[in-house]
Amino acid sequence: MEENFIIERDKDQLSLKGYTYETSKSNLPTILPKIEQIINKSKYKDQFISVLFIQENPTVLNNDLLTREATNVLNNIFGNKTVTQAHGQIPYFNDDFCYFQQKMPGVYFLLGVLILQKASLL
């Protein structure tokens, strides 16, 4: 966990704000104690009052069947092994698509292009 905080002062109150991204619901209960531990080891430990969890964004989880179907369609159009699947979270990424997926299964993917050129030896 990074120790990068945004420090804000409002009259007599000092606030340390940080952003943490976690995809595993089972890890959420461990986050606040880790943050408390980091603060208690910092120069702000004597001013520390509490840690507050403000926002929880669901993680985008693609539907397995739809992911396979989308991969097959793209491979049929562009050739086998065109699609590269990456598993895990893209750092600092979550958007409102996860809310759509709560109502209807879906597939979220990123589109990229890799151009290979032959190197010419002169």
Side-chain angles (χ1 to χ4, degrees):
M1 182 177 301
E2 290 186 32
E3 298 179 28
N4 298 323
F5 295 102
I6 299 166
I7 301 172
E8 295 178 353
R9 219 177 254 289
D10 183 23
K11 297 181 184 174
D12 295 341
Q13 187 172 348
L14 180 69
S15 296
L16 301 174
K17 294 182 181 181
Y19 297 92
T20 302
Y21 300 89
E22 179 58 57
T23 59
S24 175
K25 203 170 199 171
S26 64
N27 288 338
L28 290 178
T30 67
I31 292 174
L32 292 182
K34 286 179 184 176
I35 292 172
E36 287 182 18
Q37 194 175 32
I38 291 168
I39 294 171
N40 281 324
K41 290 180 179 178
S42 76
K43 64 182 180 181
Y44 302 104
K45 68 180 179 185
D46 295 332
Q47 299 166 320
F48 175 61
I49 297 172
S50 67
V51 174
L52 180 63
F53 184 76
I54 295 176
Q55 184 176 349
E56 177 182 349
N57 292 324
T59 298
V60 171
L61 296 171
N62 284 338
N63 177 277
D64 290 336
L65 175 63
L66 294 177
T67 300
R68 283 192 302 276
E69 289 182 13
T71 300
N72 289 337
V73 167
L74 291 169
N75 280 333
N76 286 335
I77 294 170
F78 298 106
N80 284 335
K81 301 194 182 203
T82 300
V83 176
T84 302
Q85 291 188 24
H87 300 277
Q89 181 187 14
I90 298 170
Y92 312 113
F93 177 80
N94 260 344
D95 66 15
D96 61 356
F97 190 77
C98 56
Y99 295 104
F100 296 114
Q101 287 181 314
Q102 291 175 357
K103 303 290 182 189
M104 178 175 285
V107 178
Y108 193 100
F109 61 92
L110 302 174
L111 179 63
V113 177
L114 174 65
I115 300 173
L116 300 174
Q117 295 180 338
K118 291 183 180 181
S120 60
L121 301 173
L122 298 176

